[in-house]
Amino acid sequence: QVQLVESGGGLVQAGKSLTLSCAASGSIFRFTAMGWYRQAPGKQRELVATISSAGAKNLVDSVKGRFTISADNAKNTVYLQMNSLKPEDTAVYYCNARERDRGATLDYWGQGTQVTVSS
C-alpha cells in the first residue's frame, strides 16, 4: 500500500515563499511520475507540476518562473518550491504518484495540504 504524506502548507502573504514536501512510504523509483495538483474552492482539481522517473519536469504556465518541482530519491520525497505566491495560488495541494503495472495505470494521492495566500 502506497502512502503519500504532504507537509509544508500554511498561511503566507502574497510575494512570500513556501515549500511543500511529499514523502512516499517506499522507493519513488517505482513510479512513472510524481506531481502536485491543487484544488481551489468551487473549482476542479488541476495539475501544477510533474517530475518523471527520468527527471523530466513539467509545470503549468501559471506557475512557470515561480514554482520548482524536485525529487530526492534517497529520501523518497518530492518537493514543490513556491516563490512569489499570489492569492490565486490559494488551494489544497495534493501530491500524486503514478505507477504503471501490467498495462494498468495506478494513481495514488496524499491527503492534501492547505496553502492560503493573503493579499
PDB file of all heavy atoms in Angstrom, residues 70-95:
ATOM      1  N   SER A  70      11.044  19.224  -7.533  1.00  0.00           N
ATOM      2  CA  SER A  70      12.289  18.464  -7.448  1.00  0.00           C
ATOM      3  C   SER A  70      12.037  17.178  -6.657  1.00  0.00           C
ATOM      4  O   SER A  70      11.004  17.050  -5.986  1.00  0.00           O
ATOM      5  CB  SER A  70      13.388  19.287  -6.780  1.00  0.00           C
ATOM      6  OG  SER A  70      13.031  19.621  -5.462  1.00  0.00           O
ATOM      7  N   ALA A  71      12.983  16.267  -6.751  1.00  0.00           N
ATOM      8  CA  ALA A  71      12.851  14.991  -6.055  1.00  0.00           C
ATOM      9  C   ALA A  71      14.165  14.612  -5.388  1.00  0.00           C
ATOM     10  O   ALA A  71      15.244  14.874  -5.943  1.00  0.00           O
ATOM     11  CB  ALA A  71      12.419  13.898  -7.029  1.00  0.00           C
ATOM     12  N   ASP A  72      14.056  14.045  -4.221  1.00  0.00           N
ATOM     13  CA  ASP A  72      15.212  13.495  -3.517  1.00  0.00           C
ATOM     14  C   ASP A  72      14.965  11.999  -3.397  1.00  0.00           C
ATOM     15  O   ASP A  72      14.203  11.555  -2.532  1.00  0.00           O
ATOM     16  CB  ASP A  72      15.361  14.146  -2.141  1.00  0.00           C
ATOM     17  CG  ASP A  72      16.633  13.714  -1.430  1.00  0.00           C
ATOM     18  OD1 ASP A  72      17.107  12.583  -1.688  1.00  0.00           O
ATOM     19  OD2 ASP A  72      17.139  14.477  -0.607  1.00  0.00           O
ATOM     20  N   ASN A  73      15.579  11.228  -4.284  1.00  0.00           N
ATOM     21  CA  ASN A  73      15.318   9.794  -4.319  1.00  0.00           C
ATOM     22  C   ASN A  73      15.770   9.098  -3.045  1.00  0.00           C
ATOM     23  O   ASN A  73      15.152   8.123  -2.606  1.00  0.00           O
ATOM     24  CB  ASN A  73      16.005   9.180  -5.538  1.00  0.00           C
ATOM     25  CG  ASN A  73      15.416   9.683  -6.841  1.00  0.00           C
ATOM     26  OD1 ASN A  73      14.217   9.911  -6.941  1.00  0.00           O
ATOM     27  ND2 ASN A  73      16.271   9.874  -7.833  1.00  0.00           N
ATOM     28  N   ALA A  74      16.827   9.591  -2.443  1.00  0.00           N
ATOM     29  CA  ALA A  74      17.334   8.974  -1.212  1.00  0.00           C
ATOM     30  C   ALA A  74      16.335   9.115  -0.061  1.00  0.00           C
ATOM     31  O   ALA A  74      16.267   8.269   0.825  1.00  0.00           O
ATOM     32  CB  ALA A  74      18.667   9.590  -0.833  1.00  0.00           C
ATOM     33  N   LYS A  75      15.560  10.192  -0.110  1.00  0.00           N
ATOM     34  CA  LYS A  75      14.570  10.448   0.946  1.00  0.00           C
ATOM     35  C   LYS A  75      13.159  10.067   0.521  1.00  0.00           C
ATOM     36  O   LYS A  75      12.215  10.267   1.287  1.00  0.00           O
ATOM     37  CB  LYS A  75      14.603  11.930   1.346  1.00  0.00           C
ATOM     38  CG  LYS A  75      15.909  12.356   2.000  1.00  0.00           C
ATOM     39  CD  LYS A  75      15.853  13.807   2.448  1.00  0.00           C
ATOM     40  CE  LYS A  75      17.147  14.217   3.145  1.00  0.00           C
ATOM     41  NZ  LYS A  75      17.113  15.644   3.572  1.00  0.00           N
ATOM     42  N   ASN A  76      13.022   9.556  -0.705  1.00  0.00           N
ATOM     43  CA  ASN A  76      11.692   9.198  -1.235  1.00  0.00           C
ATOM     44  C   ASN A  76      10.719  10.358  -1.111  1.00  0.00           C
ATOM     45  O   ASN A  76       9.548  10.186  -0.739  1.00  0.00           O
ATOM     46  CB  ASN A  76      11.135   7.967  -0.501  1.00  0.00           C
ATOM     47  CG  ASN A  76      12.003   6.749  -0.694  1.00  0.00           C
ATOM     48  OD1 ASN A  76      12.524   6.513  -1.782  1.00  0.00           O
ATOM     49  ND2 ASN A  76      12.204   5.982   0.363  1.00  0.00           N
ATOM     50  N   THR A  77      11.187  11.539  -1.443  1.00  0.00           N
ATOM     51  CA  THR A  77      10.414  12.752  -1.231  1.00  0.00           C
ATOM     52  C   THR A  77      10.449  13.635  -2.471  1.00  0.00           C
ATOM     53  O   THR A  77      11.491  13.758  -3.131  1.00  0.00           O
ATOM     54  CB  THR A  77      10.956  13.531  -0.024  1.00  0.00           C
ATOM     55  OG1 THR A  77      10.862  12.708   1.142  1.00  0.00           O
ATOM     56  CG2 THR A  77      10.166  14.809   0.216  1.00  0.00           C
ATOM     57  N   VAL A  78       9.309  14.225  -2.767  1.00  0.00           N
ATOM     58  CA  VAL A  78       9.190  15.195  -3.850  1.00  0.00           C
ATOM     59  C   VAL A  78       8.821  16.537  -3.223  1.00  0.00           C
ATOM     60  O   VAL A  78       8.033  16.587  -2.276  1.00  0.00           O
ATOM     61  CB  VAL A  78       8.122  14.760  -4.865  1.00  0.00           C
ATOM     62  CG1 VAL A  78       7.883  15.855  -5.901  1.00  0.00           C
ATOM     63  CG2 VAL A  78       8.558  13.490  -5.564  1.00  0.00           C
ATOM     64  N   TYR A  79       9.393  17.594  -3.785  1.00  0.00           N
ATOM     65  CA  TYR A  79       9.183  18.933  -3.243  1.00  0.00           C
ATOM     66  C   TYR A  79       8.536  19.835  -4.280  1.00  0.00           C
ATOM     67  O   TYR A  79       8.713  19.671  -5.485  1.00  0.00           O
ATOM     68  CB  TYR A  79      10.518  19.546  -2.823  1.00  0.00           C
ATOM     69  CG  TYR A  79      11.276  18.719  -1.813  1.00  0.00           C
ATOM     70  CD1 TYR A  79      12.272  17.842  -2.229  1.00  0.00           C
ATOM     71  CD2 TYR A  79      11.020  18.816  -0.459  1.00  0.00           C
ATOM     72  CE1 TYR A  79      12.976  17.073  -1.316  1.00  0.00           C
ATOM     73  CE2 TYR A  79      11.725  18.065   0.465  1.00  0.00           C
ATOM     74  CZ  TYR A  79      12.695  17.187   0.027  1.00  0.00           C
ATOM     75  OH  TYR A  79      13.395  16.424   0.938  1.00  0.00           O
ATOM     76  N   LEU A  80       7.824  20.833  -3.774  1.00  0.00           N
ATOM     77  CA  LEU A  80       7.326  21.913  -4.624  1.00  0.00           C
ATOM     78  C   LEU A  80       7.723  23.215  -3.954  1.00  0.00           C
ATOM     79  O   LEU A  80       7.166  23.591  -2.920  1.00  0.00           O
ATOM     80  CB  LEU A  80       5.807  21.842  -4.807  1.00  0.00           C
ATOM     81  CG  LEU A  80       5.223  22.860  -5.784  1.00  0.00           C
ATOM     82  CD1 LEU A  80       5.674  22.530  -7.219  1.00  0.00           C
ATOM     83  CD2 LEU A  80       3.705  22.886  -5.708  1.00  0.00           C
ATOM     84  N   GLN A  81       8.721  23.861  -4.536  1.00  0.00           N
ATOM     85  CA  GLN A  81       9.156  25.157  -4.033  1.00  0.00           C
ATOM     86  C   GLN A  81       8.304  26.224  -4.697  1.00  0.00           C
ATOM     87  O   GLN A  81       8.284  26.318  -5.934  1.00  0.00           O
ATOM     88  CB  GLN A  81      10.639  25.383  -4.366  1.00  0.00           C
ATOM     89  CG  GLN A  81      11.148  26.784  -4.049  1.00  0.00           C
ATOM     90  CD  GLN A  81      11.243  27.062  -2.566  1.00  0.00           C
ATOM     91  OE1 GLN A  81      11.669  26.216  -1.793  1.00  0.00           O
ATOM     92  NE2 GLN A  81      10.824  28.262  -2.154  1.00  0.00           N
ATOM     93  N   MET A  82       7.618  27.011  -3.899  1.00  0.00           N
ATOM     94  CA  MET A  82       6.700  28.019  -4.426  1.00  0.00           C
ATOM     95  C   MET A  82       7.181  29.399  -4.003  1.00  0.00           C
ATOM     96  O   MET A  82       7.217  29.707  -2.809  1.00  0.00           O
ATOM     97  CB  MET A  82       5.284  27.765  -3.908  1.00  0.00           C
ATOM     98  CG  MET A  82       4.779  26.366  -4.192  1.00  0.00           C
ATOM     99  SD  MET A  82       3.060  26.125  -3.686  1.00  0.00           S
ATOM    100  CE  MET A  82       3.217  26.252  -1.919  1.00  0.00           C
ATOM    101  N   ASN A  83       7.560  30.197  -4.979  1.00  0.00           N
ATOM    102  CA  ASN A  83       8.021  31.565  -4.735  1.00  0.00           C
ATOM    103  C   ASN A  83       7.018  32.559  -5.316  1.00  0.00           C
ATOM    104  O   ASN A  83       6.192  32.208  -6.155  1.00  0.00           O
ATOM    105  CB  ASN A  83       9.387  31.781  -5.378  1.00  0.00           C
ATOM    106  CG  ASN A  83      10.450  30.860  -4.823  1.00  0.00           C
ATOM    107  OD1 ASN A  83      10.456  30.528  -3.637  1.00  0.00           O
ATOM    108  ND2 ASN A  83      11.372  30.429  -5.678  1.00  0.00           N
ATOM    109  N   SER A  84       7.138  33.787  -4.868  1.00  0.00           N
ATOM    110  CA  SER A  84       6.275  34.861  -5.385  1.00  0.00           C
ATOM    111  C   SER A  84       4.809  34.437  -5.393  1.00  0.00           C
ATOM    112  O   SER A  84       4.110  34.588  -6.399  1.00  0.00           O
ATOM    113  CB  SER A  84       6.721  35.255  -6.794  1.00  0.00           C
ATOM    114  OG  SER A  84       8.067  35.666  -6.803  1.00  0.00           O
ATOM    115  N   LEU A  85       4.363  33.937  -4.284  1.00  0.00           N
ATOM    116  CA  LEU A  85       2.999  33.416  -4.209  1.00  0.00           C
ATOM    117  C   LEU A  85       1.969  34.515  -4.413  1.00  0.00           C
ATOM    118  O   LEU A  85       2.171  35.672  -4.016  1.00  0.00           O
ATOM    119  CB  LEU A  85       2.772  32.724  -2.865  1.00  0.00           C
ATOM    120  CG  LEU A  85       3.381  31.320  -2.782  1.00  0.00           C
ATOM    121  CD1 LEU A  85       3.538  30.874  -1.343  1.00  0.00           C
ATOM    122  CD2 LEU A  85       2.519  30.334  -3.567  1.00  0.00           C
ATOM    123  N   LYS A  86       0.864  34.133  -5.036  1.00  0.00           N
ATOM    124  CA  LYS A  86      -0.233  35.057  -5.328  1.00  0.00           C
ATOM    125  C   LYS A  86      -1.504  34.540  -4.650  1.00  0.00           C
ATOM    126  O   LYS A  86      -1.638  33.327  -4.412  1.00  0.00           O
ATOM    127  CB  LYS A  86      -0.464  35.123  -6.839  1.00  0.00           C
ATOM    128  CG  LYS A  86       0.746  35.534  -7.644  1.00  0.00           C
ATOM    129  CD  LYS A  86       0.444  35.487  -9.136  1.00  0.00           C
ATOM    130  CE  LYS A  86       1.653  35.882  -9.973  1.00  0.00           C
ATOM    131  NZ  LYS A  86       1.355  35.829 -11.427  1.00  0.00           N
ATOM    132  N   PRO A  87      -2.444  35.419  -4.385  1.00  0.00           N
ATOM    133  CA  PRO A  87      -3.707  34.959  -3.781  1.00  0.00           C
ATOM    134  C   PRO A  87      -4.381  33.856  -4.598  1.00  0.00           C
ATOM    135  O   PRO A  87      -5.008  32.958  -4.020  1.00  0.00           O
ATOM    136  CB  PRO A  87      -4.547  36.239  -3.740  1.00  0.00           C
ATOM    137  CG  PRO A  87      -3.543  37.330  -3.612  1.00  0.00           C
ATOM    138  CD  PRO A  87      -2.378  36.882  -4.452  1.00  0.00           C
ATOM    139  N   GLU A  88      -4.220  33.899  -5.911  1.00  0.00           N
ATOM    140  CA  GLU A  88      -4.845  32.872  -6.751  1.00  0.00           C
ATOM    141  C   GLU A  88      -4.168  31.516  -6.646  1.00  0.00           C
ATOM    142  O   GLU A  88      -4.652  30.530  -7.208  1.00  0.00           O
ATOM    143  CB  GLU A  88      -4.894  33.321  -8.223  1.00  0.00           C
ATOM    144  CG  GLU A  88      -3.572  33.801  -8.779  1.00  0.00           C
ATOM    145  CD  GLU A  88      -3.456  35.332  -8.752  1.00  0.00           C
ATOM    146  OE1 GLU A  88      -3.828  35.942  -7.708  1.00  0.00           O
ATOM    147  OE2 GLU A  88      -2.979  35.898  -9.758  1.00  0.00           O
ATOM    148  N   ASP A  89      -3.058  31.430  -5.919  1.00  0.00           N
ATOM    149  CA  ASP A  89      -2.434  30.142  -5.644  1.00  0.00           C
ATOM    150  C   ASP A  89      -3.090  29.440  -4.452  1.00  0.00           C
ATOM    151  O   ASP A  89      -2.760  28.283  -4.153  1.00  0.00           O
ATOM    152  CB  ASP A  89      -0.942  30.312  -5.358  1.00  0.00           C
ATOM    153  CG  ASP A  89      -0.160  30.819  -6.549  1.00  0.00           C
ATOM    154  OD1 ASP A  89      -0.407  30.332  -7.675  1.00  0.00           O
ATOM    155  OD2 ASP A  89       0.705  31.698  -6.361  1.00  0.00           O
ATOM    156  N   THR A  90      -3.997  30.124  -3.797  1.00  0.00           N
ATOM    157  CA  THR A  90      -4.684  29.538  -2.650  1.00  0.00           C
ATOM    158  C   THR A  90      -5.472  28.299  -3.070  1.00  0.00           C
ATOM    159  O   THR A  90      -6.288  28.353  -3.995  1.00  0.00           O
ATOM    160  CB  THR A  90      -5.632  30.564  -2.007  1.00  0.00           C
ATOM    161  OG1 THR A  90      -4.853  31.644  -1.468  1.00  0.00           O
ATOM    162  CG2 THR A  90      -6.467  29.934  -0.900  1.00  0.00           C
ATOM    163  N   ALA A  91      -5.199  27.192  -2.403  1.00  0.00           N
ATOM    164  CA  ALA A  91      -5.844  25.923  -2.747  1.00  0.00           C
ATOM    165  C   ALA A  91      -5.364  24.841  -1.783  1.00  0.00           C
ATOM    166  O   ALA A  91      -4.416  25.060  -1.024  1.00  0.00           O
ATOM    167  CB  ALA A  91      -5.503  25.512  -4.180  1.00  0.00           C
ATOM    168  N   VAL A  92      -6.007  23.696  -1.873  1.00  0.00           N
ATOM    169  CA  VAL A  92      -5.457  22.495  -1.239  1.00  0.00           C
ATOM    170  C   VAL A  92      -4.553  21.829  -2.265  1.00  0.00           C
ATOM    171  O   VAL A  92      -4.970  21.597  -3.410  1.00  0.00           O
ATOM    172  CB  VAL A  92      -6.570  21.527  -0.797  1.00  0.00           C
ATOM    173  CG1 VAL A  92      -5.954  20.278  -0.174  1.00  0.00           C
ATOM    174  CG2 VAL A  92      -7.505  22.202   0.200  1.00  0.00           C
ATOM    175  N   TYR A  93      -3.343  21.571  -1.876  1.00  0.00           N
ATOM    176  CA  TYR A  93      -2.351  20.978  -2.770  1.00  0.00           C
ATOM    177  C   TYR A  93      -2.226  19.482  -2.460  1.00  0.00           C
ATOM    178  O   TYR A  93      -2.040  19.087  -1.302  1.00  0.00           O
ATOM    179  CB  TYR A  93      -1.005  21.675  -2.614  1.00  0.00           C
ATOM    180  CG  TYR A  93      -0.964  23.016  -3.290  1.00  0.00           C
ATOM    181  CD1 TYR A  93      -1.702  24.099  -2.793  1.00  0.00           C
ATOM    182  CD2 TYR A  93      -0.227  23.215  -4.457  1.00  0.00           C
ATOM    183  CE1 TYR A  93      -1.697  25.329  -3.436  1.00  0.00           C
ATOM    184  CE2 TYR A  93      -0.203  24.435  -5.096  1.00  0.00           C
ATOM    185  CZ  TYR A  93      -0.946  25.495  -4.583  1.00  0.00           C
ATOM    186  OH  TYR A  93      -0.942  26.708  -5.226  1.00  0.00           O
ATOM    187  N   TYR A  94      -2.309  18.683  -3.517  1.00  0.00           N
ATOM    188  CA  TYR A  94      -2.266  17.235  -3.377  1.00  0.00           C
ATOM    189  C   TYR A  94      -1.048  16.667  -4.101  1.00  0.00           C
ATOM    190  O   TYR A  94      -0.750  17.051  -5.241  1.00  0.00           O
ATOM    191  CB  TYR A  94      -3.518  16.603  -3.974  1.00  0.00           C
ATOM    192  CG  TYR A  94      -4.801  16.966  -3.287  1.00  0.00           C
ATOM    193  CD1 TYR A  94      -5.559  18.056  -3.703  1.00  0.00           C
ATOM    194  CD2 TYR A  94      -5.277  16.207  -2.213  1.00  0.00           C
ATOM    195  CE1 TYR A  94      -6.744  18.388  -3.075  1.00  0.00           C
ATOM    196  CE2 TYR A  94      -6.463  16.530  -1.570  1.00  0.00           C
ATOM    197  CZ  TYR A  94      -7.185  17.627  -2.016  1.00  0.00           C
ATOM    198  OH  TYR A  94      -8.364  17.950  -1.380  1.00  0.00           O
ATOM    199  N   CYS A  95      -0.409  15.732  -3.437  1.00  0.00           N
ATOM    200  CA  CYS A  95       0.679  15.001  -4.061  1.00  0.00           C
ATOM    201  C   CYS A  95       0.108  13.797  -4.804  1.00  0.00           C
ATOM    202  O   CYS A  95      -0.840  13.152  -4.325  1.00  0.00           O
ATOM    203  CB  CYS A  95       1.659  14.533  -2.982  1.00  0.00           C
ATOM    204  SG  CYS A  95       3.060  13.574  -3.596  1.00  0.00           S
TER     205      CYS A  95
END
